[in-house]
Amino acid sequence: MDKELTALKQLDIRFSDVDMMGVVWHGTYVKYLEDAREEFGHKYGLSYDRYIQENIFVPIVELKMNYVHPLSYGMKPAVKITYCHTDAAKVVFEYEIFNPEDGTVFLKARSVQVFMDRDHNLMWESPEFYVQWKKSVGQI
């Protein structure tokens, strides 16, 4: 597992993202992480369309965010998303929102998603398509 899988999503901080203090509202960061997961999925073939096609749900069961510096209206940070290999039936990502110009880090985060079938039953084993995907991208 020496192949690191990452993607980069450029953000534009809009006026609707900020609160009355002029900084990005804390809940908006969740959307930024979602945007990064979509970017990752398109880049590596693990999109939400793929999950839907496979009749699988992938709810987030854990989300940890460490706010380092505030973002404000007009900034153009990027989100780096990194896939974290695990043998468990989970999809784990780490994130960093940063300024591409000077490297300032605004947020560090980690998410954990699990697999559920269409009847909302937790899957204790990784679905076969996910195992095959991990092989295809050098994670097994």
Side-chain angles (χ1 to χ4, degrees):
M1 270 69 59
D2 54 353
K3 182 180 179 187
E4 185 177 74
L5 303 179
T6 65
L8 205 61
K9 174 68 176 175
Q10 189 69 41
L11 301 173
D12 286 314
I13 306 303
R14 303 172 326 161
F15 182 74
S16 62
D17 294 342
V18 301
D19 62 17
M20 62 189 284
M21 295 184 295
V23 297
V24 170
W25 177 65
H26 68 277
T28 305
Y29 288 87
V30 175
K31 180 188 175 304
Y32 298 156
L33 303 183
E34 181 76 35
D35 292 344
R37 281 192 301 279
E38 285 190 38
E39 186 73 24
F40 182 92
H42 292 307
K43 181 176 179 179
Y44 291 104
L46 194 62
S47 67
Y48 287 110
D49 287 339
R50 178 72 187 273
Y51 291 125
I52 291 166
Q53 180 182 34
E54 299 290 340
N55 291 313
I56 300 292
F57 294 130
V58 283
I60 291 177
V61 294
E62 183 179 327
L63 180 60
K64 180 179 180 183
M65 296 190 288
N66 294 317
Y67 301 92
V68 181
H69 290 288
L71 288 168
S72 57
Y73 174 67
M75 289 181 154
K76 298 190 181 306
V79 183
K80 178 182 178 187
I81 180 172
T82 304
Y83 176 80
C84 301
H85 172 78
T86 177
D87 291 330
K90 299 178 181 178
V91 183
V92 180
F93 290 109
E94 291 182 346
Y95 312 80
E96 188 173 84
I97 298 179
F98 67 99
N99 181 335
E101 293 179 12
D102 66 12
T104 300
V105 174
F106 300 102
L107 179 103
K108 291 185 177 192
R110 177 182 171 90
S111 67
V112 177
Q113 294 168 270
V114 295
F115 298 104
M116 294 177 78
D117 65 23
R118 289 296 181 157
D119 293 321
H120 299 99
N121 296 307
L122 181 64
M123 300 174 70
W124 294 101
E125 300 289 327
S126 293
E128 185 57 31
F129 85 92
Y130 183 64
V131 173
Q132 292 305 316
W133 175 83
K134 286 172 44 169
K135 287 179 183 177
S136 75
V137 294
Q139 297 299 302
I140 294 181

